[in-house]
Amino acid sequence: MGNSAHASNEGPVDFAAEQSSVEFQELRKSHRNFVFPVAIGFLVWYFAYVLLAAYAHDFMSIKVWGNMNIGLIMGLLQFVTTFGITTWYVTYANRKLDPQAAVIRTRLESQIAAADQTKEEV
């Protein structure tokens, strides 16, 4: 039992070679250059909020406007940050990652089509 795509290397696409291609490495680097710094930044922001909520009660309870205090505002900003990062990633992926992936996809599809054509001729 297993995934048939990994069971044999007899298919029309050499995925190991594709993974080591320059285009794939650039795509991977572009993805990591965005995801890792943003993830680290968000985790620092999140844990700062949690630590402040746990240990800086006086600071977090400072009233800002009516019953709104710093803790509540920072908590709401966690949601805003999440949606902001999601929007930022989608924009980045559409602008940078998708064109790089399209080049790889086109090459793989042409390899599959060529293999299918060869099978039909035989």
Side-chain angles (χ1 to χ4, degrees), residues 4-81:
S4 62
H6 298 294
S8 141
N9 283 338
E10 297 175 15
V13 176
D14 183 359
F15 289 101
E18 187 59 42
Q19 187 176 10
S20 62
S21 72
V22 173
E23 293 87 356
F24 187 84
Q25 294 301 320
E26 288 175 5
L27 174 62
R28 197 169 156 179
K29 182 180 177 185
S30 297
H31 181 260
R32 287 181 174 185
N33 284 344
F34 181 88
V35 170
F36 287 152
V38 172
I40 290 168
F42 180 78
L43 287 172
V44 167
W45 158 233
Y46 174 75
F47 285 120
Y49 169 70
V50 171
L51 291 172
L52 286 170
Y55 298 108
H57 297 250
D58 293 338
F59 172 72
M60 295 294 268
S61 64
I62 295 172
K63 300 264 188 213
V64 176
W65 180 61
N67 286 332
M68 297 285 287
N69 60 29
I70 290 178
L72 184 57
I73 291 170
M74 287 180 70
L76 292 172
L77 285 175
Q78 292 289 321
F79 291 102
V80 172
T81 304

